[in-house]
Amino acid sequence: MQSIYGRQLGWTWPKRPQVSAVTTAKTSISRPGPAFFSIRTNTRPALHPVRLAQLSLLQQRNYANHKLDFHAIDQKWRHQWKALRESQSDPAASNGKLVDDSRVKYVLPMFPYPSGTLHLGHLRVYTIADVIARFYTLRGHNVLLPMGWDAFGLPAENAAIERGIDPATWTRTNIAKMKSQLDLMNGSWDWDRELTTCEPDFYRHTQKLFLMLHERGLAYQAESEVNWDPVDMTVLANEQVDANGSSWRSGAKVEKRRLKQWFFRISEFREELLRDLEVLNKDDAWPERVLSMQKNWLGKSTGATIKFPVLAMGQDSHAAIEVFTTRPDTLFGVQYLALASTHPIVKSLALSDPELQAFLDTLPGFPRDSKVGYMLPQLRAVNPLAYHEGTPEATKASIPIYVASYVLGDYGEGAVMGVPGHDERDHAFWKEHRYDEPVRYVLAASEDESTTALRNEPFVEHGVMTGHSGPFEGKPSVEGSKILVAMLEAAGLANPMDKWRLRDWLISRQRYWGTPIPIIHCRQCGPVPVPEDQLPVTLPDVRDHWTHGKPGNPLEKTPDWVNVSCPKCGEAAKRETDTMDTFVDSSWYYARFTDPHNEQQPFSQEAARQLPVDLYIGGIEHAILHLLYARFIYKFMASTELFPPTTAANEESTHEPFTRLITQGMVHGKTFSDPSSGRFLKPDELDLSNPAEPKVASTGATATVSFEKMSKSKYNGVDPTDFIAKYGADATRAHMLFQAPVSDILNWDEEKIIGVTRWLSRLYDYVKSLAETEPDTTDSDGSATAHLREQARRLDEMTEAELSRWDADAAIWRSVQSTIESVTASYQKVYPINTVVSDLMGLTNTLHERSETASALVQREAASAAIRMLAPITPAFAEECWTVLYPGARGSMFQTAAFPEPDDTAPLLQPRKQPVAIQINGKLRGVVEIPKPPARLEGDAEALREWMVAEMFKTEEGKTKFSEGAWDVRKPKRVILARGGKTINFVV
């Protein structure tokens, strides 16, 4: 069968047979490739012209009062999509759609914690994910869009204690609620891949990964000082303690304890974790802010460890304090040393110094950046440069030693050299404790020191060493730094090295609701891994513990579960009662989605070929913890037999779990407060009879309106389920995406949705009017592209009526082509998806403006393109429009249609007319549209001027406005063409 290819439409129209009447035939749809599909039929599809009277009536309709039943459309298509999914085992159900495995697109939103209800933040991230997935589906990709539940964690356990129920029951109930909410969003989730981290069929593989790490020496147990949450009664990683020393979840002040804990040796991968940030920085794959936070958390510092001899009671104690510094060039400017509260010298002195111990006891109450300090009595330090004869006397003097809250015990050596002249924190601390002593500046911006910062501020840049640097005066500080380190290294007082802020990942949690650590402790054999054939180690039933609301870890109090035989020697042994940090689950769940039903392995090598995730979408709050741990585990997995051999063997390859990271902004709610007291107002305390001017019901005062983070205390929360029930899922999705770019904060304003619903109603009615009109037998065969090319060849012989129709067709198709390019770019970039809605609103306006004149063929194909461009955002609405426009289509348009692509008609579609501004004595008096000047006038200014004036008088405005009255310009003194012929200035 001969057919004409129409790529921009997504359909291939067959050559029209010579028939005198339009007939109806059974239509079968197939898709020969990912870029397009064809329709095979025995007759030409009916291409309808638009009844002018009908469209005129359509345009006069009051769309604010016309309501399309979006809710009914949602329900209809959710039902049909479900039926299609259930029939996927039938080969005919795919409508011939071909899947090219090489075009797999893995789109993944961060999976939710099952708290019980979805909020608008959930709705936003999952809408974005579904929109992108549907876009790539229409582009011919086999899209992977799974969904699961981050189901372990302290909130479920705390809820169980409060309610007296099992955390598994509470969690599964919440999952059921949230899943039903997700189903209302018109999402395209692959529920066949659903996973839940608290189910044994998932966490058995988490335990398997633990054993693989343990076998490689990357999971180990060690005694260390840990952060203890006295409320949640569990250990916290450093990352889970805020700047004020409080728990990230309970808010309690964290205590320090020494416990034996399990760690993952993430430090072994620190170089790769840092190096590969450069890869993620290319083409803006990851947000710059996230990359910066990752880099700072890794905290690689290149410098040297320098020894400062210590004097006790004025005598050399033969001891030294080691300090790591990245700025050896400021060594001549050291005026004090500061130690962390956990430094061995401080702990030792506190045993005999009650004042020091009292100071240490108060430190947890101060923020980390506090400038409080305690000077150690009868203890001084000596600058290692004091032993060099050229060193200035000021540097040779002994210096005080402080205990300071701003010094961290887990970075460097738990000691810093205080250089007030060249470090902001040191400067502030010095001014707090030695305000009457001068600050020593040993570096300057230039040799004459004329450009150095004011003396009341530290100079923190590299520069030139000053006279306070003794024999190094005049040297560039970078060069001086190298010489100083080499000199001190030769004397045994310095050692060049790199330091990292990153510490190994503490995964032990003294709680029940988490993945059990698969280790058995034997007195003779030590920690013994649970044999793989005994996995999973499942959580025991401790229902009585929750019924009575007991605190602590119930695993420790379950003897039947704890007491076992050693797998090695068979003697009595005990299970590990700590469970894993929930970040372990989320560090690899994205890989499990590729092979969720594999009972033997976390995933197969074949499934691993679908990794990494192409687009990962979630909040900026996970910029450090989750993303860092996921990057570490992925790099580890890529080095094992889980990945194809070539991948695992190539150590130089970049192994990153998420090729592109999208971080969406928060959703803020409309908040009302009393202007007199600032108190937040409840809904029943408001008078919203005039929504534009809300008032305090009790006083009549105008309420203060703001947008703030949603919370119960501000009464500004919005239940997405209620909102969808009111306006429909598709209208809600379009409204949410239209209000702000993806990365920006979204100020949720319900009143603005009327603009979206009005636009969708206009578009639907336009499509319906196209489908309901009589067929036009005069239209050209084939696609709009072929029609426009044919018409372009006969422009010179067209009548005025035909030229008018051409102008309308060209205007519509120009708008279609520019919209396709803009919308495609917005979908691909993700962040400007809000412009997709505005672009399609503009296209809709163009269709209405030109509907009375343009050909039915062009209008029909333009409407088709608009529907397909809108489909990712409003899938059910688009499906409905599609069946109206193509009543013979079967199945879902996401299985049969293709996203429109631009054609090459742009050179043919240049406007025949151009706007020309009409000025009289230099003042603008109107704008007329005249044809573009013929090429024969090029270079002849006088002939061009006469031609343009003549054409201006041919226009309606020229005849009426500028041929009589005060603005009669038929006999000007002079005519001036300006702005390349875009302006005609008549001097009268």
Side-chain angles (χ1 to χ4, degrees), residues 81 173 297 301 360 369 380 432 628 642 706 749 772 796 907:
W81 291 330
T173 301
W297 193 258
S301 301
L360 296 178
D369 60 351
R380 308 278 287 187
E432 178 74 20
L628 185 66
L642 292 174
S706 61
D749 191 345
E772 291 176 351
D796 292 339

Side-chain angles (χ1 to χ4, degrees), residues 779-801:
D779 274 326
S780 170
D781 289 340
S783 68
T785 302
H787 166 76
L788 290 166
R789 286 187 183 129
E790 179 183 331
Q791 295 300 307
R793 286 194 292 269
R794 48 184 302 271
L795 283 177
D796 292 339
E797 57 189 64
M798 283 184 178
T799 64
E800 283 299 319

Side-chain angles (χ1 to χ4, degrees), residues 404-617:
S405 64
Y406 78 91
V407 182
L408 303 179
D410 61 349
Y411 179 77
E413 308 300 326
V416 301
M417 58 185 208
V419 188
H422 305 288
D423 184 272
E424 292 179 354
R425 291 184 307 171
D426 296 349
H427 187 274
F429 186 86
W430 184 257
K431 287 296 183 181
E432 178 74 20
H433 295 274
R434 316 286 281 218
Y435 59 88
D436 55 345
E437 296 186 27
V439 172
R440 192 185 316 145
Y441 291 87
V442 299
L443 302 179
S446 61
E447 288 194 44
D448 61 4
E449 305 183 34
S450 60
T451 57
T452 301
L454 297 176
R455 289 297 179 172
N456 61 349
E457 296 291 338
F459 176 69
V460 298
E461 307 297 330
H462 287 286
V464 178
M465 303 179 83
T466 70
H468 288 294
S469 296
F472 289 82
E473 181 179 5
K475 282 189 178 297
S477 63
V478 174
E479 179 185 345
S481 180
K482 295 177 181 178
I483 297 173
L484 282 171
V485 171
M487 183 177 71
L488 292 174
E489 185 180 13
L493 294 172
N495 183 29
M497 64 172 55
D498 294 333
K499 288 284 185 179
W500 296 76
R501 182 185 179 205
L502 179 70
R503 292 293 179 267
D504 283 342
W505 176 10
L506 170 60
I507 68 156
S508 286
R509 297 294 178 269
Q510 291 66 43
R511 301 295 291 212
Y512 167 85
W513 195 235
T515 299
I517 295 176
I519 292 291
I520 293 172
H521 295 280
C522 175
R523 291 183 179 180
Q524 296 184 20
C525 307
V528 179
V530 172
E532 189 173 336
D533 61 3
Q534 294 181 20
L535 297 181
V537 177
T538 57
L539 292 168
D541 185 349
V542 290
R543 201 167 306 166
D544 184 61
H545 182 87
W546 314 115
T547 303
H548 295 88
K550 298 176 182 177
N553 183 358
L555 295 179
E556 298 173 347
K557 306 165 187 175
T558 311
D560 292 344
W561 184 84
V562 171
N563 298 315
V564 293
S565 299
C566 172
K568 268 190 177 181
C569 67
E571 295 297 322
K574 292 183 180 294
R575 290 192 188 278
E576 173 64 63
T577 57
D578 285 354
T579 56
M580 296 187 212
D581 179 8
T582 55
F583 280 115
V584 179
D585 303 322
S586 59
S587 71
W588 80 279
Y589 79 105
Y590 51 87
R592 181 64 177 173
F593 273 134
T594 66
D595 198 5
H597 306 298
N598 190 329
E599 296 182 0
Q600 304 304 316
Q601 292 289 332
F603 50 92
S604 68
Q605 291 184 358
E606 185 62 29
R609 298 183 190 279
Q610 299 178 44
L611 296 169
V613 175
D614 292 292
L615 284 96
Y616 195 46
I617 307 164

Side-chain angles (χ1 to χ4, degrees), residues 171-182:
T171 300
R172 292 182 181 116
T173 301
N174 289 344
I175 288 173
K177 292 178 185 176
M178 294 174 72
K179 189 172 180 179
S180 65
Q181 286 183 292
L182 279 173

Side-chain angles (χ1 to χ4, degrees), residues 561-755:
W561 184 84
V562 171
N563 298 315
V564 293
S565 299
C566 172
K568 268 190 177 181
C569 67
E571 295 297 322
K574 292 183 180 294
R575 290 192 188 278
E576 173 64 63
T577 57
D578 285 354
T579 56
M580 296 187 212
D581 179 8
T582 55
F583 280 115
V584 179
D585 303 322
S586 59
S587 71
W588 80 279
Y589 79 105
Y590 51 87
R592 181 64 177 173
F593 273 134
T594 66
D595 198 5
H597 306 298
N598 190 329
E599 296 182 0
Q600 304 304 316
Q601 292 289 332
F603 50 92
S604 68
Q605 291 184 358
E606 185 62 29
R609 298 183 190 279
Q610 299 178 44
L611 296 169
V613 175
D614 292 292
L615 284 96
Y616 195 46
I617 307 164
I620 193 73
E621 65 271 15
H622 294 295
I624 296 177
L625 299 183
H626 162 57
L627 291 176
L628 185 66
Y629 295 152
R631 295 179 62 218
F632 157 58
I633 291 296
Y634 187 81
K635 290 178 185 296
F636 165 71
M637 292 190 302
S639 68
T640 70
E641 71 276 5
L642 292 174
F643 273 61
T646 54
T647 305
N650 190 352
E651 296 180 359
E652 298 302 317
S653 296
T654 299
H655 299 303
E656 287 291 334
F658 314 119
T659 302
R660 189 168 176 216
L661 175 68
I662 303 296
T663 54
Q664 87 285 351
M666 297 180 66
V667 181
H668 285 185
K670 203 173 199 178
T671 311
F672 301 93
S673 56
D674 190 326
S676 62
S677 63
R679 183 177 62 85
F680 295 115
L681 299 171
K682 300 176 182 178
D684 59 4
E685 295 177 313
L686 287 165
D687 175 5
L688 296 176
S689 54
N690 179 5
E693 193 175 346
K695 296 182 181 298
V696 182
S698 59
T699 64
T702 300
T704 302
V705 181
S706 61
F707 287 91
E708 301 185 35
K709 183 178 178 181
M710 292 184 177
S711 69
K712 293 180 181 178
S713 62
K714 297 175 182 176
Y715 313 109
N716 63 350
V718 175
D719 187 332
T721 306
D722 293 343
F723 199 90
I724 289 172
K726 186 174 182 181
Y727 295 102
D730 278 4
T732 300
R733 287 162 62 115
H735 170 63
M736 171 167 279
L737 295 174
F738 181 46
Q739 291 304 300
V742 166
S743 59
D744 289 6
I745 289 174
L746 170 59
N747 291 329
W748 187 259
D749 191 345
E750 178 176 347
E751 296 170 19
K752 292 182 179 179
I753 197 173
I754 187 63

Side-chain angles (χ1 to χ4, degrees), residues 819-831:
T819 304
I820 290 172
E821 292 183 358
S822 175
V823 165
T824 301
S826 296
Y827 278 133
Q828 290 173 333
K829 293 176 182 176
V830 181
Y831 288 109

